[in-house]
Amino acid sequence: MNMEEEVGGEGRAHLVMEGTLTARDRVGVQDFVLLENYTSEAAFIENLRRRFKENLIYTYIGSVLVSVNPYKELEIYSKAHMERYRGVSFYEISPHIYAVSDNTYRALRTERKDQCILISGESGAGKTEASKKILQYYSATCPISDNMSTLRDRLLQSTPVLEAFGNAKTLRNDNSSRFGKYMDVQFDFRGAPIGGHILNYLLENTRVVHQNHGERNFHIFYQLLEGGDQDLLSKLGLERNALKYHYLVKGCCPRVSSINDKNDWRTVTKALAVIGFRDEEDLFNIIASVLHLGNIQFGEGQDEQTEITTETQHNYLSKLLGVDGVALKDALTHKKLTAKGEEVSMISPLSFEQAVAARDALAKAVYGRTFTWLVAQINKSLAFKGSSSVIGLLDIYGFEVFQHNSFEQFCINYCNEKLQQLFIELTLKSEQEDYEAEGISWEPVKYFDNKIICDLVEEKHKGFIAILDEECLRPGESNDISFLEKLEDTLGGHAHFVTHKLANGKTRKTVGREEFRLIHYAGEVNYSVSGFLDKNNDLLYRNLKEVLCQSDSQILRECFQREEVTDQKRPETAATQFKNSLAKLMEILMCKEPSYVRCIKPNDAKQPGRFDEALVRHQVKYLGLMENLRVRRAGFAYRRHYQAFLQRYKCLCPGTWPNWHGKLADGVATLVQHLGYKPEEYKLGKTKIFIRFPKTLFTTEDMMIFGSVVALSLQTSWRGYRERSKYQRIRNAGNDMSAWRGMKSRRRARCRRHAANVVRKFIKGFIYRHYERCPENEYFLDHQRFSFLMTLVRNMPKTVLDKSWPVPPPSLIEVLLTMEQKVVASHIFKDQKESYPHSVPRLFVASRLSRQYGVPVTKYDRRGYKARPRQLLLTSSFAVLVAEAKLKQRIDYTALRSISVSSLSDGFMVLHVPSEDNKQKSDVVLQCDHVIEAVTKLACMLNRRGLGQGTMGFRSGDWDGHGKTLIMWSVNHFYVDFEVCFGSLSYWNIQLHPSLGFKQSGFYLIYTGT
Ligand SMILES: Nc1ncnc2c1ncn2[C@@H]1O[C@H](COP(=O)(O)OP(=O)(O)O)[C@@H](O)[C@H]1O
Ligand SMILES: [Mg+2]
């Protein structure tokens, strides 16, 4: 539970206050810049782990939010939480995705500069969830005009649609986004969302035709089969059984327990309606056509030519795609070769393998382009033309390193290099600018500039992508191996590029013959060169494109445009397309103020509560978090605007409380001087204070928490006072106004003085809290005691045996002991002894005599019952009776059989010891003014010696007094009679003096267990 979250009502504030000092140890720091040992990766991970165990999934590195996937629903996303973060300064409240959302929004409104939030992390780390939370925050908290509610709904509803078509179940995430997404949310001058725009990147369309074991195709296929009504399925020629479709069975897992395809279908079709889709039928036809395409089989015809053997599927396919059946059949089994510059083209038959590849290429192209079309449709429905400010959300794949890395990982990691470059540039730039603006000298930070790797990949003519393209497009035989050789020729010798051939010694063993290694900023990754050429080339043959441009389907006609086939220019390769779209993305991001969310997944099993350190360490490394922290911590750990700093800590200094009226900088200077900051600990800039070490801040923060509690109670009384004065003012309206004003201002001044005094006393007390009680800490200790006791009342141990008492502050250890003893006393005496109720409110004292517990008693001689003043002292193993510094009698606890007291309010107690023991002098009759306290202390001593509490108890006396000597004497108002049996007191009876009304008690034995 977070401390700040706890401060609710006044009562709770006390609770929070007491816990604060120890809370930091338990829940770690909420900003990594406050880590004392900020260069230690172990300390970093330990901080993450501690917070994660307490369900605190968010932590800052300065303004970067680190988020750990909890894999469970946390109660931190309610409307009330949104409200809590609204308009609140970033650092004043615990880290949250809403704080980032709100801060970004406010920066947009106040600084009038476009913003972006970059969310990165491995698959399954929580990026998409984070971006959804941000959107939800905006849609719930931003102002909205009447006609904008449709837009808000569309904005929110675009997510399920995109997820249905672009997400799939993978081994890492049941709802993994298989594309990169950048979304702009546009706001008008009032801060209301008025439009949006989405850019999509690199959909993983190989998934359409193949899935790894345990993974699925895109959700939409299963949703259609499970949720589509029977009429629709019949029309599409589909059966409600995913196992019937080759494209859906490769991963052997058509069903996933966490996914309800039927419900999701309903959500998606509703969302399509909200977005304003009119081409649904067309869209479903295309999805179905992909499934039919997967079931198209080839065989060998009469003249050894490849032909389609699945006629029914083919008929459905051509119907759903809205194309001519014969032309489609031809295009799937033949390839059109056009010689350069010539009109005539030749038709060449495809081999079986080529036909299968052409079929799969068609499926990927149809699906991939439809996805892009879908994004365009959503954009149309969100479009707003006019001036607006923008918050961009980038939910994009993080660094990927698998056992086997290919073209996709290469693109993804290249994208991360670019983002890292942007990050370093912007973070360092903003750090440096901040220092300069504040007039504080900038201390240069060493960091790794990854421009060298970006250049390696993207440089014109000699970069990796240029070489790949050249190899794809050049005439003559080229393949993946020739590409590798070309890479070696051109990039050999580059510090960040290694192959088996280029490497020597040990490194050579770690790179395969068909692999190359890139040394990325985040670490080394080996890529297998196999498939690079094919994946980079557009494998869709021209004649298939020709067929599709003539489709009856509006969607397909938009996806496959005539110019593409008539244009003689080669289409752009996949890598170049990706490079260009990344360059555009960088441009978009460069002109915005960035915020970062770094997502981490705590385990691979998608389990709540499990924190796999090795896995987290890997991500901390690949997300570059340590470097991030190092850059952020260079110089000063903490900085804050004067106003914010003063607002938070002004209660710590009488000079600044309740309000500072001078210049802010002077106020902060007064405050830090009062707090005793040393010159090397801080610097004052133009508008901000910079604090070098986290320790300084912690001490201040601890004081503040206490201070704020006082301020809270002062505020309450101040408000009460104000209301009373208001009332008086009205009542005395007729009175002399000047006298009234004078009195009012005197009162106010008195009130202020009092408040300042209280605060001063409190702070002083805090500083002296570890000292013995003294005038400086009196007030503080009393307050601490009161708060602790109030906490205790709410958390009383249930039994005497329960040792789980709340840990008291040091000054209260004594009090806690007394409390424990009071519980023991209650156990022994409650409803048993008449004087017990009176003893309850009186505190037991540590001792009435010396350091050890001691109490004055009267001892009655066994013979004649003469009264003798004695002192009873309790040591850890025996009790002694002392007179005038002489030890008169020693009673070993081991020899003590029992203790008796009566049920009346007398002060008698009898310590029973065996008379046959020579060393002991038999039973001792004592009278004590503090009998309850004394017996309790004795019981506690015995208990501590291992005589279990359970062995103690009361027994009312029904002794058969046969053959005993009766002794009777009177003390004060009591008559006491004993029966003596074998020298020990076995029965005694106490009566009130007849003049006070007869009342007879029984005896009670407190057994010690011996
Ligand atoms: N803040 C969160 N609270 C609860 N569960 C979450 C949270 N973030 C992620 N998850 C869980 O983790 C899964 C994967 O998250 P997702 O955002 O899809 O990952 P990514 O987009 O990074 O691949 C989600 O489906 C959800 O079950
Ligand atoms: Mg995702």
Side-chain angles (χ1 to χ4, degrees):
M1 209 173 333
N2 192 291
M3 284 306 121
E4 279 149 292
E5 281 171 4
E6 272 269 285
V7 185
E10 214 177 324
R12 298 193 84 189
H14 293 292
L15 214 159
V16 171
M17 185 186 77
E18 301 303 332
T20 308
L21 293 176
T22 47
R24 198 177 303 121
D25 297 335
R26 190 165 49 82
V27 303
V29 292
Q30 65 172 25
D31 190 333
F32 282 108
V33 298
L34 298 177
L35 266 189
E36 207 59 61
N37 193 359
Y38 70 95
T39 51
S40 154
E41 192 182 65
F44 189 100
I45 290 166
E46 174 59 16
N47 194 54
L48 267 188
R49 194 189 60 77
R50 276 191 197 170
R51 296 181 64 74
F52 179 72
K53 289 277 176 249
E54 297 288 330
N55 284 334
L56 300 170
I57 60 165
Y58 297 119
T59 313
Y60 295 131
I61 305 177
S63 58
V64 173
L65 180 74
V66 180
S67 157
V68 186
N69 187 347
Y71 282 122
K72 65 178 172 191
E73 294 307 320
L74 298 178
E75 304 276 308
I76 55 170
Y77 302 111
S78 65
K79 188 89 192 3
H81 277 88
M82 293 184 182
E83 284 303 326
R84 193 178 298 173
Y85 282 87
R86 221 169 136 178
V88 175
S89 174
F90 202 58
Y91 302 99
E92 271 178 30
I93 188 160
S94 47
H96 201 291
I97 188 80
Y98 292 158
V100 176
S101 317
D102 188 73
N103 210 53
T104 309
Y105 178 72
R106 267 183 304 123
L108 177 90
R109 304 274 295 129
T110 53
E111 291 163 29
R112 303 242 159 244
K113 182 164 186 205
D114 287 352
Q115 306 284 318
C116 61
I117 304 178
L118 312 186
I119 309 167
S120 56
E122 272 192 14
S123 178
K127 301 180 294 292
T128 306
E129 289 297 319
S131 73
K132 283 193 241 178
K133 303 243 142 72
I134 297 171
L135 275 185
Q136 280 159 4
Y137 182 81
Y138 291 146
S139 75
T141 59
C142 293
I144 196 149
S145 49
D146 302 338
N147 51 345
M148 285 306 153
S149 59
T150 341
L151 179 104
R152 186 182 59 181
D153 294 342
R154 285 178 179 176
L155 215 53
L156 290 177
Q157 292 306 318
S158 66
T159 309
V161 175
L162 281 178
E163 288 194 357
F165 285 83
N167 288 23
K169 188 251 179 229
T170 67
L171 288 176
R172 285 145 196 271
N173 182 353
D174 291 352
N175 182 34
S176 178
S177 332
R178 309 314 300 161
F179 65 106
K181 177 173 145 192
Y182 172 80
M183 179 178 202
D184 267 339
V185 186
Q186 297 163 286
F187 295 85
D188 69 4
F189 66 98
R190 289 169 306 133
I194 42 163
H197 189 85
I198 295 166
L199 293 175
N200 57 306
Y201 297 94
L202 202 75
L203 179 77
E204 182 200 39
N205 49 20
T206 48
R207 183 167 297 273
V208 176
V209 299
H210 180 81
Q211 308 90 43
N212 291 330
H213 190 82
E215 301 201 343
R216 294 210 309 183
N217 209 321
F218 295 98
H219 294 323
I220 189 68
F221 295 114
Y222 308 89
Q223 291 173 357
L224 171 64
L225 294 185
E226 281 293 313
D229 60 39
Q230 202 48 54
D231 283 354
L232 177 65
L233 293 191
S234 313
K235 223 165 72 188
L236 299 173
L238 296 177
E239 286 180 59
R240 200 185 292 288
N241 181 0
L243 296 175
K244 296 267 178 183
Y245 300 95
H246 288 124
Y247 281 166
L248 304 185
V249 296
K250 305 267 170 71
C252 305
C253 89
R255 276 179 206 281
V256 184
S257 62
S258 66
I259 299 177
N260 185 333
D261 291 309
K262 204 168 171 178
N263 282 353
D264 290 349
W265 170 257
R266 249 177 264 141
T267 313
V268 170
T269 43
K270 256 193 227 149
L272 284 172
V274 172
I275 293 172
F277 252 70
R278 275 182 217 93
D279 309 309
E280 278 174 33
E281 201 180 312
D282 206 355
L283 187 64
F284 300 154
N285 283 348
I286 295 177
I287 304 164
S289 74
V290 172
L291 291 181
H292 286 298
L293 200 47
N295 283 4
I296 294 272
Q297 302 287 319
F298 300 95
E300 211 166 80
Q302 294 152 346
D303 44 1
E304 293 185 5
Q305 281 204 5
T306 311
E307 62 175 34
I308 291 173
T309 56
T310 42
E311 201 55 40
T312 328
Q313 269 77 19
H314 179 74
N315 289 340
Y316 270 119
L317 181 64
S318 51
K319 191 178 124 216
L320 293 169
L321 288 176
V323 300
D324 177 52
V326 180
L328 179 65
K329 202 178 261 181
D330 269 357
L332 279 169
T333 46
H334 295 80
K335 183 179 173 184
K336 197 173 185 180
L337 304 170
T338 316
K340 220 175 187 175
E342 282 179 34
E343 277 297 300
V344 201
S345 50
M346 294 182 307
I347 299 284
S348 129
L350 295 178
S351 67
F352 177 82
E353 287 78 18
Q354 283 172 323
V356 169
R359 177 197 68 191
D360 288 352
L362 180 64
K364 288 191 275 185
V366 166
Y367 191 84
R369 292 184 187 209
T370 304
F371 181 74
T372 306
W373 174 87
L374 193 67
V375 173
Q377 288 313 106
I378 293 174
N379 283 339
K380 268 189 209 159
S381 88
L382 299 177
F384 171 80
K385 294 205 174 47
S387 74
S388 63
S389 17
V390 165
I391 294 181
L393 294 180
L394 183 70
D395 166 9
I396 207 154
Y397 12 69
F399 226 90
E400 274 187 2
V401 193
F402 299 142
Q403 202 70 24
H404 179 87
N405 303 294
S406 181
F407 183 73
E408 291 79 9
Q409 281 70 47
F410 167 78
C411 290
I412 285 170
N413 292 344
Y414 162 49
C415 167
N416 277 277
E417 285 290 353
K418 295 291 283 177
L419 287 172
Q420 172 70 5
Q421 196 184 17
L422 184 88
F423 173 70
I424 288 193
E425 247 172 59
L426 294 181
T427 315
L428 275 181
K429 206 171 81 192
S430 79
E431 280 288 289
Q432 205 162 348
E433 278 171 3
D434 201 16
Y435 278 58
E436 273 164 20
E438 291 293 320
I440 288 177
S441 57
W442 166 253
E443 298 161 26
V445 192
K446 269 206 193 125
Y447 68 96
F448 171 63
D449 185 356
N450 69 336
K451 184 172 181 302
I452 183 168
I453 308 169
C454 294
D455 288 347
L456 170 77
V457 175
E458 65 188 9
E459 218 175 349
K460 269 190 187 155
H461 308 306
K462 49 184 188 201
F464 185 97
I465 292 176
I467 300 166
L468 176 61
D469 282 359
E470 200 186 313
E471 202 59 14
C472 282
L473 306 178
R474 78 175 165 84
E477 274 297 299
S478 61
N479 55 35
D480 293 328
I481 298 301
S482 69
F483 166 55
L484 186 62
E485 284 162 2
K486 190 78 180 282
L487 284 177
E488 283 167 340
D489 289 346
T490 324
L491 301 177
H494 193 290
H496 293 265
F497 179 81
V498 181
T499 63
H500 184 85
K501 201 169 114 192
L502 294 173
N504 46 25
K506 267 191 201 155
T507 321
R508 177 168 269 182
K509 289 198 193 110
T510 59
V511 188
R513 282 179 197 281
E514 294 189 5
E515 282 184 340
F516 63 90
R517 171 181 292 177
L518 289 185
I519 298 157
H520 288 285
Y521 81 90
E524 302 167 344
V525 185
N526 286 4
Y527 299 92
S528 158
V529 80
S530 135
F532 261 67
L533 257 56
D534 279 354
K535 286 174 181 170
N536 192 37
N537 261 332
D538 182 2
L539 277 184
L540 191 63
Y541 296 132
R542 191 175 285 249
N543 44 343
L544 270 174
K545 284 184 191 164
E546 270 170 9
V547 173
L548 288 170
C549 344
Q550 289 160 13
S551 161
D552 294 337
S553 149
Q554 176 72 24
I555 298 180
L556 288 178
R557 274 207 312 279
E558 283 180 38
C559 291
F560 294 88
Q561 295 190 355
R562 184 149 286 283
E563 296 84 70
E564 198 182 330
V565 254
T566 49
D567 194 350
Q568 289 298 320
K569 237 175 64 192
R570 285 251 192 178
E572 263 183 351
T573 62
T576 299
Q577 276 179 34
F578 189 63
K579 183 179 102 173
N580 293 343
S581 58
L582 266 191
K584 276 201 200 106
L585 177 65
M586 292 306 133
E587 261 174 46
I588 294 173
L589 299 178
M590 241 354 208
C591 60
K592 295 188 168 61
E593 199 69 53
S595 305
Y596 295 89
V597 179
R598 309 294 211 176
C599 300
I600 289 181
K601 66 171 169 184
N603 62 70
D604 266 332
K606 305 166 195 168
Q607 263 180 18
R610 233 180 85 183
F611 190 89
D612 180 344
E613 265 191 43
L615 189 77
V616 173
R617 186 172 304 119
H618 181 264
Q619 294 168 81
V620 166
K621 182 174 170 213
Y622 281 82
L623 285 169
L625 297 186
M626 293 309 293
E627 170 113 329
N628 185 178
L629 177 57
R630 214 166 48 72
V631 170
R632 187 62 183 65
R633 256 303 293 270
F636 296 86
Y638 169 95
R639 79 201 59 165
R640 205 63 87 238
H641 277 289
Y642 286 147
Q643 191 168 15
F645 188 80
L646 207 55
Q647 185 61 30
R648 186 159 178 81
Y649 299 116
K650 63 180 180 179
C651 64
L652 296 181
C653 167
T656 52
W657 207 90
N659 287 308
W660 173 260
H661 295 294
K663 277 192 197 155
L664 288 173
D666 297 341
V668 171
T670 311
L671 176 59
V672 295
Q673 207 171 2
H674 179 80
L675 295 174
Y677 280 20
K678 296 194 184 74
E680 68 273 15
E681 284 180 320
Y682 74 103
K683 271 215 171 91
L684 297 180
K686 286 186 187 137
T687 64
K688 290 180 192 171
I689 176 171
F690 290 68
I691 295 179
R692 196 177 289 279
F693 313 110
K695 246 192 344 240
T696 314
L697 186 72
F698 288 154
T699 316
T700 316
E701 188 66 17
D702 288 343
M703 287 191 206
M704 210 286 302
I705 300 285
F706 290 118
S708 70
V709 175
V710 183
L712 197 71
S713 55
L714 285 176
Q715 257 170 21
T716 319
S717 26
W718 172 253
R719 275 193 213 115
Y721 159 77
R722 212 174 45 191
E723 290 309 308
R724 277 195 304 279
S725 351
K726 209 156 118 194
Y727 166 71
Q728 290 237 330
R729 200 166 57 228
I730 295 164
R731 209 181 58 175
N732 299 337
N735 290 359
D736 178 3
M737 283 310 283
S738 62
W740 166 243
R741 274 199 207 104
M743 188 180 82
K744 199 172 71 171
S745 60
R746 276 195 302 280
R747 257 200 201 168
R748 189 174 290 156
R750 248 199 332 266
C751 215
R752 284 223 172 109
R753 238 184 349 260
H754 170 69
N757 269 337
V758 172
V759 173
R760 197 175 302 138
K761 269 199 286 187
F762 210 89
I763 294 166
K764 200 156 225 172
F766 177 78
I767 295 164
Y768 283 85
R769 70 193 184 282
H770 296 305
Y771 290 63
E772 290 268 296
R773 193 179 175 85
C774 58
E776 281 80 10
N777 64 14
E778 241 170 9
Y779 179 84
F780 180 82
L781 295 184
D782 286 348
H783 177 83
Q784 214 182 16
R785 188 176 68 176
F786 175 78
S787 309
F788 174 71
L789 292 179
M790 291 313 284
T791 313
L792 198 58
V793 165
R794 287 183 223 110
N795 302 293
M796 267 312 222
K798 301 283 176 291
T799 68
V800 193
L801 289 179
D802 182 358
K803 289 284 150 199
S804 63
W805 288 73
V807 182
S811 65
L812 286 180
I813 301 267
E814 209 47 54
V815 177
L816 188 69
L817 275 179
T818 311
M819 290 304 295
E820 280 190 62
Q821 289 168 1
K822 281 282 175 188
V823 174
V824 174
S826 143
H827 187 72
I828 301 173
F829 294 105
K830 192 167 171 221
D831 301 328
Q832 305 284 1
K833 189 159 176 67
E834 203 178 63
S835 54
Y836 172 69
H838 302 291
S839 80
V840 174
R842 280 189 225 127
L843 276 185
F844 289 165
V845 296
S847 175
R848 297 190 182 273
L849 297 167
S850 58
R851 284 183 77 80
Q852 243 141 10
Y853 181 77
V855 62
V857 292
T858 309
K859 175 186 176 266
Y860 294 93
D861 282 354
R862 275 185 304 143
R863 290 198 183 81
Y865 297 99
K866 190 168 181 316
R868 298 183 191 279
R870 293 278 186 273
Q871 285 128 23
L872 173 70
L873 300 182
L874 303 182
T875 74
S876 56
S877 51
F878 54 86
V880 281
L881 286 169
V882 178
E884 287 153 2
K886 271 197 211 125
L887 200 152
K888 291 288 185 188
Q889 188 173 352
R890 167 177 161 145
I891 304 152
D892 288 330
Y893 295 150
T894 46
L896 191 60
R897 275 198 184 151
S898 56
I899 310 162
S900 305
V901 294
S902 87
S903 63
L904 295 183
S905 52
D906 58 281
F908 288 106
M909 59 173 155
V910 183
L911 309 183
H912 297 276
V913 283
S915 55
E916 55 270 28
D917 185 340
N918 287 340
K919 272 189 267 162
Q920 311 286 344
K921 295 186 185 167
S922 187
D923 294 355
V924 188
V925 182
L926 301 173
Q927 199 251 333
C928 171
D929 291 346
H930 308 280
V931 68
I932 290 183
E933 177 187 282
V935 170
T936 305
K937 298 263 184 189
L938 188 53
C940 288
M941 284 290 192
L942 298 172
N943 197 29
R944 211 171 291 156
R945 289 180 41 77
L947 301 165
Q949 194 90 54
T951 59
M952 263 196 281
F954 278 84
R955 199 184 73 186
S956 43
D958 54 348
W959 194 272
D960 163 21
H962 180 70
K964 318 274 161 44
T965 319
L966 189 74
I967 302 150
M968 190 164 162
W969 88 105
S970 82
V971 182
N972 301 333
H973 306 301
F974 297 99
Y975 280 119
V976 187
D977 53 23
F978 284 92
E979 282 191 0
V980 180
C981 179
F982 306 120
S984 68
L985 298 162
S986 55
Y987 175 66
W988 54 297
N989 183 21
I990 299 180
Q991 298 165 17
L992 275 179
H993 196 281
S995 65
L996 296 170
F998 181 77
K999 197 171 181 185
Q1000 188 170 21
S1001 87
F1003 73 87
Y1004 288 96
L1005 283 178
I1006 307 168
Y1007 285 99
T1008 61
T1010 45

